[in-house]
Every structure is written in structure tokens, then in C-alpha cells.
Amino acid sequence: MQRISTLFRGALLAGAALALPGLALAASGNASGPSSDMLLKAADDSASWILPAGSYSGDRSITESQISPQNVGKMTKAWSFTIPAGGPVEASPIVWHGMMYVTSFKNDVYALDAKTGELKWQYNPKPMQLVGFPRNRGVAILDGVLFMGMANGHMVALDAETGKEIWNKQTVENPKNSFYSMQPVPYKGKLLMGVSNGDWGGIGNISAFDPKTGKRIWKWEAVPGPGQKGHDTWSGDSWKRGGGAIWSGLAIDPKTDTLYVDTGNPQPDFLGTIRKGKNLYTDSMVALDISGAKPKMKWYHQFIPHDTHDWDPAMPPVLFEGKVDGKEKPLVAAGDKGGNFWILDATTGKLVSHTPVSYQMGQNTEPPAVGANYACPNTNGGIEYNGGAYDPATNTFFVPSTNQCGKWTGSKKAVYVAGQFYLGGGFPSLVGPNSGWFNAVDVSTGVFSWRHHLGLPANGGALVMDYKAEKASAASGSLVFTGLLDGTFAAYDPASGKELWHSDMGGSIVAPPATFTMDGRRYVTVEAGDPGFLKVPELGEPAKTSTLTAFVSAAPQTATSN
Amino acid sequence: MEPGKLRKALRPLGGAAALLALTLLAGSGAAAKDIAAGAHGEALGALTDLQSALGELDKAAGLTVSDPDPYRQAARRAVNALVGKAGAGFDAAAGDPGDAAGALGHLGRLRDAAGDRPWAAAVQAAWVNAMVAKAGLDDALKADELEDFQSRMSGALEALLVAIGRVSDRGAFGGLRGALATTELGVPPDAPTLPGCALQSGTLPSGAPSDEPAYGVVGGYLTYVAVPTHDGRTELPEPFGVGSITVRDGRVVLETASAALTGKLCGKRQQAKAAAPTGTRVAAADPAPALYTEAQAEQGHQIFKSHCAVCHGEQLQGKSAPTIAGPDFLKKAQLLGWSVADLRQVVTTTMPRDNPGSLSPEQYARVLSYLLAVNCYPPGKNRFPTTATASLHKAALQPPDGVKPDLPGPGICSLKTAAR
């Protein structure tokens, strides 16, 4: 094991794909980036973290041979990198064989040596953003090229080794109401990307682009136009600015080429009277067959028909084989900002279970045009964009959630002004309680196995490690990691919720953890710093600097005992 | 800058005036001998080429494709219209919307002929701005990224607009249009002229021909045009500005902005040269409109401090809410195509964020006055309205010409500077 690791590292340091016998990963594809085939097998490549959630399933779950519940306490800090641009960091980094890529909220890309945290290169595009908020949720990697969607509605392709721009192209159709925040997803030679335009008067879409040129190959729009099925769920012309942005991550079943995607809330967000009807396909999960030239809808499941509170399903979908009624079946999980956790049958879209995970109140009201009313959660509450993780060993789903109520006011009409929110009201003001949960939901019943109440909102995602010792040993069991707003990065026992380990990161965690191995040791990364949208009075003064920290497992026993 | 809008504004007032069918203008006039031969034709040629270049950039600004080629081709055609067929940088392959001389060729010849004529400064300024536009386009052609291209191109576009000049409500222009509208440059070579001071006496000289316009010229300034009043259409040179229209002695008299100078020009001819007519100002071809009063801006400052500063910052530098003043803000507004009415719409319906619509219409008008002032828009006599009027819709939100921000932070104007 040791010898292979050393050889492997040598190959990487040389910066070229040396055809080492037996090293399939290094021998095929590009030296500095995985091929489409490797991405399909991302879950089996423990050395890398090459998709937003580690694999197309989005389950953020790995089988592990280093870190166990018994030795997690021996994990040490390997290095810490200060994000030069600061600000909120809201995504896992991408890691490919010794290199790590992380982005800032200003669309800077930092390439780090995954072993030392040393900055290798940085890309600082300084895009002029006409609309939206400054956020970026990471890069994609394919065949030695990084891809990022930017705040100005451009996509950019960078040489993964040097950071040099290969192409940079406006790929949103209207930069006056659209931008990018999502992490692109490469799939079978195409780049899948959703557009952020859901609160600014656009219509959401997910598109496939040619990674070589940035040319659009197909587009699926979240709001059906005249003549299309579902169009009659919009009154009058309201569909034209109907929303349904594609904000969050994706899950894909490569066996059937099925893409699972969640759509954002309808617009104007808080004024439902001018868009009577269910407003399909907003606030829905949609299963698209993407095997052909154009996507075909297999099914949809609308979580909140005619939403008037911006409660879109922000959580990236998670595809998994879970046990319900004693039977294994393909399931897909979703979570919305209204505080609902949903499990659907992945084949049919039928509801399997629904678990409210946040404090809910006044959900059947609409923000009034005169005066105000109260409803919970508010627009930053419930389940947010970092989602959760599934643990096959305990058949449990882990997801953080936020309790946060709002005071809501609508308006009599909504006027579209390019570059501005198209809300038909105001964002709600915070009225507390600004607390959170880390939830463990038993998939077989939809009931909590356990849940930790937190003093602050929570959006730190989750990462599951199922420890399987290489040799028979006493150590066994699983861990689930999450990051909290108070800066605690913690690991719990999935079965009991007992805390096994924690470390204070010195800043709020609003990004999910990622993991990879190098030289026979397991690394776990976490970003901390600015709380972004979860800034609440209870938090006090937010951290001034943002960091990416890598923890490393204790030296393997083979090194000392063999 | 919104070229489409601006060019609509540039449409000559004279066109409409010329359609007036009225009785004959009595009297006769002779072609002015002191007008530099061919200057009118050169000026019109330069104007046409500048407008062609602007038209290309206008089209490029409206493109939505991401392929860089159509943008570059448009920039090359604009360069061609500026430099002419013999000019450095002419690229025949791109196509040529201009004439053989190009704007710079025409303007160069005009400069040579200008001497101390009252239009010399205007021509010089137009030439300089055309050069600036060309340099900007050369730069834009080197841009790798569309955004860079567009920002450089918009610099060129602004220079072109300054070179061309613009009409105001009072018939005064800047740039080349200004010179054409208020000086002898606007007089076609064979057109009859009349004494430019005749208006002072209150009667028109007799003897103008019956079937064409006659031009009142004094000291190189064009003070009026007397239009015959027969039925049918009477053509005037395209860029013509009218300060006022009066009927005198049974004829239509179109007074130019220079008419305001007749007191000086005709009383003491020697001082006329020193007078700076509005038509020949170098910059401020597109002056920001005066949409509010100083008092409103001062009152608005107080409201801003109590209702807005907590999020936008005392110096408007942006805190939890974005910067809402300064060049970056204005640039963004320009790219979004905002009018002042759009800004008003956003402020009155979504601000303050915690209680939108909670201020009175006049309080909103005052805050908006303050925002215009810190963004270097000048105050005037008219109050900022409490409804979205046509003038607010017409006023583009964009970096105003001429005024330099004098406060730190995002780069904003003090109320005093805005009032200059």
C-alpha cells in the first residue's frame, strides 16, 4: 500500500500521466482531470472528490477504511488555507489526485496542493454582476478542464493545471435577470447547468452545454409555454415571468440516464393573486430522461403548489437505495425551505414519506398587500442548498434545518425592472427563533431516529463514512459529519447521535464537508467563515476571514505495526 | 448610453418646422461669400460618417450572440467610417458604411479651413472625440472577452456621441451638430443669406427669394432661418436646431440658439469672437438633465440618513445593501438600460427594505433627488415629481458627463458639486 502510494505521488508530481502498470486512474484520461467514464465511477475513487456530492447519486456517503468511530479523535489538522477573497464559501471543493479547487463568492478560483494547502494558481475574473447576489458554489472538472458558472451569466473553462482561460462565454440568455451560482455537472461529455433567475423575473432552465465550446446543446424550461402540458396552471400571461430557477445540485442515475432536478419557486414570489393555479413545474422535483437529443419528462412531483413564500426545494436531490417496509427500493430525497423533508419513489415520483423538520406556522396564508402576517420558516429557513447525506448502514438520512420565522408583506402589484427582484412584496423580516436542527430521519418510517437542537440556524450539509476495516479488527461502525453556524465541525454516531469528535473552526460553516485519500491517509475538508444568508443577531459578530481546512486521519497502523 | 434613445432625441426639430406651409418670404439675399468654400458639405459629410459609426456600435450594442465576430466586424466598420478609405486602420473586408473621406478626413479639412471662425473649436473638439472613439475601438478589437469589448466600445460610443452633439429643449447643441445649427457651417453653399442682426430691429429685411429658406448670418454665427410659407415641403439641412419659432412680417422665423447672442454680436462686433456660443462647447454633449431642486436634495439627505444609511452606508458605500452611487453603480444601471423612472420604481416599491412604500410620495421624491445629486446629476428649477413623468422615463441613468465626483467612497458628488 505504501509503495503504491509513493509511486502514485511521484506520477502526480511529474505533472504527467505516466502509464504506470496497475494504476488505471492515472493511465487513462487526462493527467489533470478525470474523463467522463471516471466521473461515472467517482464513488469508487477514494483518492478524489470530483463531483459536487462525491458521486452522481448525490448521497455524500463513502465506504471508509481509515477513520472509525474509535480513532476519529486522533484526526489532526493537516493544513488551513485562508480564502483571499473572504466572504461566504458555500460548496465542497473539487479534488483530483493531489489538486484541490475551491471558489470564492466573487468567482475567484483557487488551485491548492491537496497535501499542503499551498496555493498553486488563482483565477480572478472580477465579473460585473448585473443581477442577483454574489455567490459561487464551485467548479466542475472534466478531462483536465475546470468549468465555472459566473455571476455575470458567463461560463468559463480553465486549464486545470495552469488556471489559464480556455473559453469564457455568456451562456445565460438574459444577463439582466439571470446569473449563475450553481456548480456545473459534467455528464457523459456534456456540461449540465441550471440558471439562477428565479427571483428576478426570468424562467428557470437546465441546459446541456458542449464543454469544448460552451455551445448550448439542449434546454429544458421549468415553466411550460403555450400549448405545452402544465401551461394551464398559470393564469393569464403570468407564466412569462414564472420563475422556477434551477439553483441546486443534481442527481443522476447513469444506468437509465435519468436526471433528477429540483425547480425553484414561482414568481412574483409573494404575490400569488396574479398567477392563479398550481404554477407547474415550480417547487417540484422533475425526473428527466436525458438519453436522447432532448430531455423527456418521466415524472414530476410538486412539493408546494402555488407557493407564495419562496419555499423552493433548495436541497440538491439525493438518489439512494433505501429500505422501506422491509424492501430495498430506489428512492430520491428532497428538502425545501418551507421546512419539509421528502422521500419519493425514484421510479415513479410517488410520495414515500414527508417529514417536517423545521418549525412551521401560517403556511396556508399569503403575504397581505396591506399590513403584514407571520409565517414560518422565512426565506432562509427550512432545508437549504447544502442538503444532506444518506447512510446505507443505518438506513438513515441526515439533514440540517433552520427554524426561522418571518413577518411578510405582499404588494398590490409586481412590476418587472431589469436587474431587480421581481417579488410582489418584500423579503420577510426575521422574527426568530433563529435556531436549527441536525436531523436523523429513519428512511423506513420517515420518523426521526434522533435530532440535535442547535442554538443557531444550520446549513452545513452532511457527510457519511461507513467504516469497514481492511483487516478484521474490533473497530467498526459509521460516522456522520456536519458543520454548524457557531463554527463547530462535528462527527456523530449515526445510530445514537452521540458526538464522537468536534473541532472549532473559528467561523460559521455553510458548506458541506468533502473527503479524499492521499498516501494511504484520509482527509476531510471543511470551509468556515462568513455565514452568508444565515447571519442572525444571535450569532454575534461573524468571522472576518474565511478558511478551508483539511483534517487528516491518524497515520495508518500498517506503517507502524508492519 | 442608450444610442437608440439618444438618436431619437437627435432627430432634428427643423424637420417638423420645415413642413409648415406659409406665405412667401419677401426680399432677396445673396450667398454668403465669407463662408469657407465647401465647409458645409464637409461638416455634413463628417456628421454622416460619425452617425454611421455610431449606428454600427448601436447595432453591436443590441447583439445578443456570444460569438465575438459580429461585434468585431461592427467595430471594424465603425473604424472604417471614421478613418475613410485612405485612413490608417481601414479594413475593406469588413464593409464601409461611411464615405471615402471618413469623418476624420472631413474634420481634418474643416480644421484646416477653420481659421478663427466661431465653429473652429467645435470642429476641433469633434475631431479629438472622433480620434478618441477610434482609439477606443482599436482597444476594443484587442479585447478577448465580450465584457471588456463592451466596456471599451461604450467608451468609443460616448466619444462619438460627444463628437456628434445633441439637441436640448432650447435648440442648443454641442458637438458638430451644435456648430451646424448655430454657425455658418449650417448654411448650404448656394443658399441665400440675410443680415443676421435684422431680428434686433423687429422686422425682416426684404428681398429673400420666394421658394427657399434664407439664412441670417452675422460674424460667422447663424442666428435665424427665414422659411418661405408656400404650400408644400421646404427642405432644411438635416441637423438644424430651433430655439424659437416666431411669425414675423407674415413669415416663419426659426431662431437658432445663436439668436441669443445678437445683442453682443450686433452691438459690438469685435467682442463677438470672445463670446462662447452654446453650440461650440467642447464637452457636455449629453448633459445630465436637471430633474430636482437643490432644496429637495438637501431634505432628501436627511431622509437618507434616517431611513437608508443603515444598510446603504452613510457615504453610500454599501453595507448590507449595495452601493447606490458612483461610477460603478451608474455603469451597471446603464448596462441594465435603466431610466430615472426605473430607479424611482424600485425605490418607491421596495424601499426601505423593512417597510417598503412607507414614505410619503414627496419623501420618496426627496430621497431620489438626493440620489441624483450624489450621482452628479445637476439640480434645476423643477421639483422631482411624485409620479413617474415622461421626463423621468426619458432620462437614462448613466454616468453623467463633465462632473467629477469629489467625495471618497464609491465616488460620489457632494450636493455643492452636483449643483456646480
Side-chain angles (χ1 to χ4, degrees):
Chain A
M1 185 67 204
Q2 280 289 74
R3 184 182 297 166
I4 289 176
S5 298
T6 312
L7 273 175
F8 195 60
R9 196 170 142 220
L12 285 167
L13 290 176
L18 301 181
L20 295 179
L23 285 179
L25 287 170
S28 59
N30 190 296
S32 50
S35 66
S36 287
D37 280 350
M38 293 175 186
L39 288 166
L40 291 171
K41 294 174 199 132
D44 304 331
D45 177 9
S46 78
S48 299
W49 188 266
I50 43 180
L51 285 167
S55 71
Y56 284 122
S57 75
D59 67 2
R60 292 187 181 276
S61 176
I62 60 156
T63 305
E64 165 58 356
S65 59
Q66 300 293 326
I67 297 179
S68 67
Q70 289 74 27
N71 72 9
V72 63
K74 291 181 185 151
M75 215 164 60
T76 53
K77 200 182 275 188
W79 51 261
S80 188
F81 172 74
T82 299
I83 307 286
V89 184
E90 298 186 344
S92 305
I94 288 289
V95 184
W96 170 250
H97 292 183
M99 285 289 273
M100 180 180 296
Y101 306 96
V102 64
T103 61
S104 82
F105 72 114
K106 291 178 175 168
N107 290 120
D108 305 295
V109 181
Y110 307 107
L112 310 177
D113 182 327
K115 176 115 180 148
T116 61
E118 184 198 343
L119 182 64
K120 292 294 197 187
W121 55 257
Q122 58 179 310
Y123 170 71
N124 317 105
K126 300 189 183 66
M128 183 188 266
Q129 183 167 18
L130 292 181
V131 65
F133 43 73
R135 286 293 186 282
N136 183 272
R137 291 168 187 160
V139 294
I141 189 166
L142 172 68
D143 292 331
V145 181
L146 300 179
F147 301 92
M148 172 172 62
M150 298 202 287
N152 58 356
H154 284 225
M155 277 223 272
V156 63
L158 306 174
D159 184 315
E161 280 194 66
T162 62
K164 204 170 162 277
E165 246 181 41
I166 297 168
W167 54 260
N168 177 345
K169 195 167 174 177
Q170 181 192 313
T171 44
V172 298
E173 284 153 309
N174 183 355
K176 294 182 185 179
N177 64 24
S178 314
F179 68 108
Y180 285 131
S181 58
M182 179 184 140
Q183 196 164 12
V185 178
Y187 179 70
K188 293 189 178 173
K190 298 186 182 85
L191 210 52
L192 306 180
M193 186 63 168
V195 64
S196 306
N197 56 5
D199 304 315
W200 293 269
I203 288 181
N205 74 67
I206 175 135
S207 297
F209 295 93
D210 181 342
K212 295 266 185 301
T213 60
K215 201 173 155 241
R216 196 186 305 269
I217 298 167
W218 55 250
K219 176 172 85 167
W220 180 83
E221 285 198 323
V223 176
Q228 287 178 290
K229 209 174 151 220
H231 182 67
D232 58 356
T233 62
W234 296 85
S235 61
D237 276 347
S238 57
W239 66 277
K240 286 184 175 168
R241 301 205 178 280
I246 312 292
W247 289 100
S248 63
L250 311 170
I252 304 173
D253 178 359
K255 290 196 296 291
T256 58
D257 287 322
T258 307
L259 170 68
Y260 298 85
V261 56
D262 284 334
T263 58
N265 56 289
Q267 290 172 154
D269 299 28
F270 311 123
L271 183 61
T273 50
I274 68 161
R275 48 169 172 85
K276 294 193 183 76
K278 282 186 173 176
N279 306 144
L280 291 174
Y281 297 94
T282 63
D283 281 359
S284 302
M285 182 181 283
V286 179
L288 300 173
D289 174 353
I290 55 169
S291 60
K294 282 199 165 167
K296 268 189 252 156
M297 190 189 288
K298 287 183 152 177
W299 54 257
Y300 74 92
H301 184 104
Q302 190 175 35
F303 301 114
I304 305 179
H306 191 74
D307 177 10
T308 53
H309 290 85
D310 185 6
W311 280 328
D312 47 16
M315 172 184 138
V318 176
L319 195 58
F320 61 100
E321 290 278 328
K323 214 177 279 173
V324 181
D325 297 333
K327 275 183 252 162
E328 290 260 332
K329 62 198 289 188
L331 301 170
V332 60
D336 64 47
K337 299 199 295 180
N340 303 295
F341 177 70
W342 311 87
I343 296 179
L344 308 180
D345 182 317
T347 318
T348 63
K350 293 227 164 63
L351 181 66
V352 172
S353 64
H354 166 209
T355 313
V357 293
S358 296
Y359 181 46
Q360 295 179 326
M361 191 192 88
Q363 294 215 331
N364 295 320
T365 62
E366 180 165 336
V370 177
N373 63 11
Y374 295 86
C376 322
N378 82 354
T379 55
N380 290 321
I383 300 175
E384 280 284 347
Y385 47 85
N386 283 329
Y390 172 70
D391 177 24
T394 56
N395 196 36
T396 308
F397 202 99
F398 302 97
V399 65
S401 64
T402 293
N403 300 313
Q404 205 174 54
C405 295
K407 181 184 174 187
W408 305 73
T409 305
S411 59
K412 291 195 184 77
K413 56 177 187 168
V415 179
Y416 173 77
V417 177
Q420 285 295 304
F421 282 120
Y422 180 62
L423 299 179
F427 278 111
S429 47
L430 287 187
V431 291
N434 302 334
S435 61
W437 297 98
F438 187 63
N439 307 283
V441 178
D442 180 346
V443 169
S444 61
T445 59
V447 175
F448 299 114
S449 303
W450 52 265
R451 62 194 311 217
H452 288 317
H453 185 259
L454 307 164
L456 290 167
N459 182 20
L463 173 70
V464 168
M465 288 186 185
D466 281 332
Y467 179 74
K468 292 202 170 61
E470 281 182 336
K471 296 177 195 169
S473 84
S476 70
S478 306
L479 308 101
V480 56
F481 288 87
T482 191
L484 308 181
L485 211 64
D486 68 2
T488 305
F489 185 40
Y492 305 104
D493 171 9
S496 68
K498 189 182 150 217
E499 186 183 283
L500 301 171
W501 170 85
H502 80 261
S503 180
D504 181 10
M505 305 314 300
S508 294
I509 301 169
V510 287
T515 182
F516 61 97
T517 56
M518 206 187 314
D519 300 345
R521 292 171 77 174
R522 167 67 62 183
Y523 288 74
V524 182
T525 68
V526 64
E527 291 109 325
D530 191 303
F533 293 122
L534 291 188
K535 196 180 287 174
V536 291
E538 290 81 353
L539 180 62
E541 196 56 34
K544 293 246 171 9
T545 54
S546 298
T547 56
L548 165 60
T549 300
F551 289 91
V552 63
S553 62
Q557 296 189 335
T558 46
T560 49
S561 63
N562 222 1
Chain B
M1 208 61 64
E2 286 228 315
K5 257 187 211 168
L6 261 162
R7 290 207 294 155
K8 208 174 278 175
L10 288 172
R11 201 170 289 152
L13 293 170
L19 290 174
L20 296 172
L22 296 165
T23 53
L24 294 187
L25 180 69
S28 71
K33 294 211 171 71
D34 58 344
I35 297 174
H40 176 75
E42 296 285 4
L44 276 188
L47 183 65
T48 309
D49 287 342
L50 289 170
Q51 282 171 328
S52 301
L54 182 69
E56 294 299 332
L57 300 193
D58 194 357
K59 273 184 254 163
L63 287 175
T64 52
V65 294
S66 45
D67 176 1
D69 269 338
Y71 299 89
R72 294 201 176 117
Q73 288 301 90
R76 287 193 189 102
R77 284 194 296 275
V79 168
N80 287 352
L82 292 179
V83 301
K85 288 199 166 48
F90 185 84
D91 179 354
D96 183 14
D99 60 13
L104 286 165
H106 290 298
L107 290 170
R109 279 178 237 160
L110 274 176
R111 281 201 315 156
D112 295 342
D116 60 356
R117 311 303 299 180
W119 41 269
V123 166
Q124 173 69 21
W127 183 81
V128 169
N129 278 299
M131 292 293 282
V132 169
K134 192 206 170 250
L137 290 170
D138 289 347
D139 245 20
L141 281 167
K142 288 178 204 144
D144 289 324
E145 212 217 305
L146 187 55
E147 208 172 351
D148 279 349
F149 177 88
Q150 280 170 337
S151 98
R152 291 167 198 181
M153 188 188 75
S154 63
L157 202 137
E158 256 176 62
L160 282 180
L161 287 167
V162 173
I164 290 169
R166 115 183 237 285
V167 71
S168 81
D169 293 343
R170 292 168 191 271
F173 296 82
L176 198 53
R177 276 181 173 275
L180 275 156
T182 60
T183 74
E184 62 194 5
L185 268 191
V187 183
D190 297 315
T193 58
L194 295 170
C197 296
L199 293 181
Q200 274 197 318
S201 65
T203 54
L204 285 174
S206 58
S210 60
D211 57 354
E212 56 184 321
Y215 295 77
V217 178
V218 54
Y221 292 93
L222 174 64
T223 53
Y224 66 89
V225 182
V227 180
T229 51
H230 57 73
D231 283 349
R233 193 181 167 87
T234 299
E235 297 290 347
L236 292 173
E238 197 257 340
F240 187 76
V242 179
S244 71
I245 302 175
T246 53
V247 178
R248 224 174 256 188
D249 302 338
R251 298 146 214 169
V252 177
V253 175
L254 313 173
E255 290 187 19
T256 75
S258 290
L261 300 171
T262 45
K264 273 181 180 165
L265 291 169
C266 304
K268 290 181 181 175
R269 290 286 290 272
Q270 291 310 309
Q271 285 174 11
K273 279 181 198 167
T278 46
T280 56
R281 293 236 326 243
V282 172
D286 185 22
L291 297 168
Y292 66 95
T293 66
E294 274 187 83
Q296 276 184 306
E298 274 159 28
Q299 291 156 341
H301 190 190
Q302 300 311 315
I303 299 168
F304 181 87
K305 281 199 272 191
S306 55
H307 288 82
C308 322
V310 59
C311 298
H312 290 287
E314 285 277 343
Q315 272 74 48
L316 297 102
Q317 74 275 25
K319 281 168 79 179
S320 57
T323 304
I324 45 171
D328 287 351
F329 167 74
L330 289 168
K331 184 85 202 159
K332 210 176 263 192
Q334 188 178 15
L335 287 171
L336 286 167
W338 276 23
S339 65
V340 175
D342 288 329
L343 178 68
R344 182 187 174 277
Q345 169 72 31
V346 170
V347 173
T348 56
T349 60
T350 70
M351 294 292 144
R353 195 59 110 195
D354 61 352
N355 200 357
S358 57
L359 305 185
S360 73
E362 178 54 27
Q363 281 179 308
Y364 279 120
R366 290 171 183 175
V367 168
L368 285 157
S369 300
Y370 174 66
L371 287 184
L372 288 181
V374 293
N375 278 299
C376 306
Y377 277 64
K381 290 194 182 117
N382 295 327
R383 296 178 64 75
F384 192 94
T386 51
T387 55
T389 59
S391 58
L392 297 192
H393 281 290
K394 221 167 68 185
L397 198 62
Q398 59 194 25
D401 261 343
V403 186
K404 286 249 156 40
D406 59 337
L407 291 181
I412 62 177
C413 278
S414 60
L415 298 190
K416 218 169 106 193
T417 303
R420 55 258 204 223

